[in-house]
Amino acid sequence: MTASGARLLEGGAIAEEIRTAVAEDVSTFSATRGRAPGLRVVIVGRDAPSTVYLERILRGCAKVGIDAGFVELEGEATEALVTDALRALNADATVDGVIVQMPLPPTIRLRAVVDAIDPAKDIDGIHPLNAGLLRLGYDGFLPATAHAAVEILRRSGIEIEGRDAVVIGRSAVVGMPAAFLLVREDATVTVCHSRTRDLAGHVRRAEIVVVAAGVPGLVTGAMLRPGAVVVDVGINLVDGRIVGDVDFESARAVASAITPVPGGVGPLTNALLLTHLIRAAERQWPLQSPVAVPAIDRP
Ligand code: NAP
C-alpha cells in the first residue's frame, strides 16, 4: 500500500517467483538434452539504453542457467546483413530463441526483419505468425512487454473479466497485443492513440487503464475514475530519472492499485522473456518418448 491507500503492483517479487520456476525447467532441459537452452540478442548499433537493456537480459539469463549471447552489427549495417544474421541463428541448433533489439536504424525495414525470424524462435512475438496467433486467440509467443502488462494484473489477483479497460497506445509490440490479451481475459477494451478525441473522457470511464504511449505525465490523477487500476508501461528518461507515462503522485491518490516505474512492468517483462525462451527450447527439442522394445517370443 502507498500512503494514499493505492496498492503498489510491484513486478520484482513476481519476477523472482517466475525466475525460480524457469531455473528448474532450464536445469531439467540441460540435463536431458545435454546443453543449456540458448538465447541470442541481435543488436544493430549500440546506444546507451540498449546497452543497459542487453546487460540486464544477459545477467537474467546467466542467473537461471540460460546460455545467452549477442550478435552485434554496426549501426550502418544493411538490411541484408541483419536478415543474414537472423537466418544463421535460425539454422543454429544450439540457439532456441532470438530477440532483435528495437528500435532498428531507420534504413532497415522492420517488416524485412520480422519476416526473417523463425517463428519457433521468436520469443518476443514479433513475427506475423505469432501476432496472428494472438489475434486469433491461439497459443503462440507473446510480445513480452504486453504479456507483462496483463500478467501483473493476473498475478496480483486483479479482476479483469467483464471490466472496462482502456489501453493508451496501439503499437504492434505493446498497445495492440496488450489490448488483445485483455479481450482474451474477457475485459471490454477501448484502444486510444494520438488521434483519440477526448482521451480524458475515455480514461475516466475505465476500471483498468494500461498506458503505453511513451509520453511522461500523459495520465494524471484528475483523469482517473476513483478506484481504477493503473498499469504504466512507459519508460521515459526525464532529467536523468526513469519515469513512466503516468503522473504517479496524483494517480496513486485516486487509483486503487498502480504499477510503479521503475519496478512494475519492467522486471516482469524480463522474467517472462525467460519463460518464453525455455518454452521455445522445449517445443523445438521435445523429449523423445521411450521406444517400445518388442517382446521376444521364446520357444
Ligand atoms: P510507440 O511505438 O511509440 O507507440 C506509442 C503509442 O502511443 C502510439 O500508438 C501513439 O499513437 C500513442 N500515443 C503517443 N502519444 C499519445 C498521446 N498524446 N495520446 C494518446 N496516445 C498517444 O511506443 P511503444 O514501443 O508501444 O512503447 C510505449 C511505451 O512503452 C514507451 O514508453 C516505451 O519506452 C515503453 N516500453 C516499455 C517496455 C517495458 O518493458 N516496460 C518495453 C517496451 C516499451 P499513434 O499510433 O497515433 O502514433
Side-chain angles (χ1 to χ4, degrees):
M1 289 274 185
T2 65
S4 64
R7 176 179 165 203
L8 269 191
L9 306 177
E10 289 175 295
I14 305 171
E16 198 48 49
E17 259 173 47
I18 292 174
R19 271 195 295 271
T20 305
V22 170
E24 279 178 28
D25 292 348
V26 167
S27 143
T28 305
F29 181 94
S30 304
T32 49
R33 276 72 158 196
R35 67 166 177 89
L39 167 72
R40 295 294 176 271
V41 182
V42 175
I43 183 160
V44 188
R46 272 203 186 203
D47 56 24
S50 61
T51 307
V52 172
Y53 182 69
L54 178 66
E55 278 161 8
R56 212 169 277 164
I57 292 182
L58 298 183
R59 248 199 336 265
C61 286
K63 269 196 205 154
V64 298
I66 290 170
D67 162 31
F70 60 93
V71 175
E72 189 176 3
L73 300 166
E74 295 296 325
E76 303 78 40
T78 60
E79 195 173 285
L81 270 177
V82 179
T83 53
D84 284 352
L86 286 169
R87 293 203 179 89
L89 294 171
N90 292 345
D92 186 337
T94 65
V95 173
D96 303 289
V98 175
I99 302 172
V100 181
Q101 181 71 61
M102 303 288 175
L104 290 163
T107 48
I108 296 174
R109 287 172 308 149
L110 180 62
R111 179 66 204 268
V113 171
V114 300
D115 281 345
I117 299 182
D118 178 350
K121 299 190 180 190
D122 171 34
I123 62 162
D124 206 13
I126 63 172
H127 187 280
L129 176 72
N130 285 313
L133 290 171
L134 168 61
R135 172 69 187 79
L136 296 173
Y138 297 127
D139 270 355
F141 289 112
L142 302 172
T145 303
H147 189 185
V150 177
E151 196 65 18
I152 202 162
L153 295 173
R154 282 167 30 90
R155 291 198 183 232
S156 306
I158 305 277
E159 198 180 341
I160 304 176
E161 184 184 331
R163 297 183 90 183
D164 290 329
V166 157
V167 177
I168 306 178
R170 56 173 164 179
S171 74
V173 284
V174 191
M176 289 312 297
F180 287 130
L181 283 172
L182 286 167
V183 171
R184 198 190 269 189
E185 296 290 327
D186 296 319
T188 302
V189 181
T190 303
V191 178
C192 298
H193 45 78
S194 67
R195 309 290 174 88
T196 295
R197 276 180 285 142
D198 192 16
L199 179 70
H202 287 286
V203 170
R204 194 160 299 118
R205 284 189 288 277
E207 295 166 285
I208 296 174
V209 183
V210 175
V211 196
V215 180
L218 180 63
V219 171
T220 63
M223 294 163 75
L224 293 169
R225 167 180 174 153
V229 174
V230 180
V231 178
D232 189 352
V233 182
I235 299 181
N236 310 289
L237 196 58
V238 175
D239 300 332
R241 256 180 3 114
I242 301 276
V243 299
D245 289 348
V246 176
D247 177 47
F248 185 77
E249 290 306 323
S250 66
R252 76 172 181 178
V254 183
S256 61
I258 184 167
T259 61
V261 177
V265 174
L268 201 51
T269 300
N270 294 334
L272 286 172
L273 263 180
L274 306 180
T275 67
H276 297 184
L277 189 269
I278 184 65
R279 293 291 94 78
E282 289 167 348
R283 279 182 203 159
Q284 288 168 82
W285 301 95
L287 277 181
Q288 303 293 332
S289 43
V291 180
V293 181
I296 300 169
D297 283 334
R298 294 189 188 280

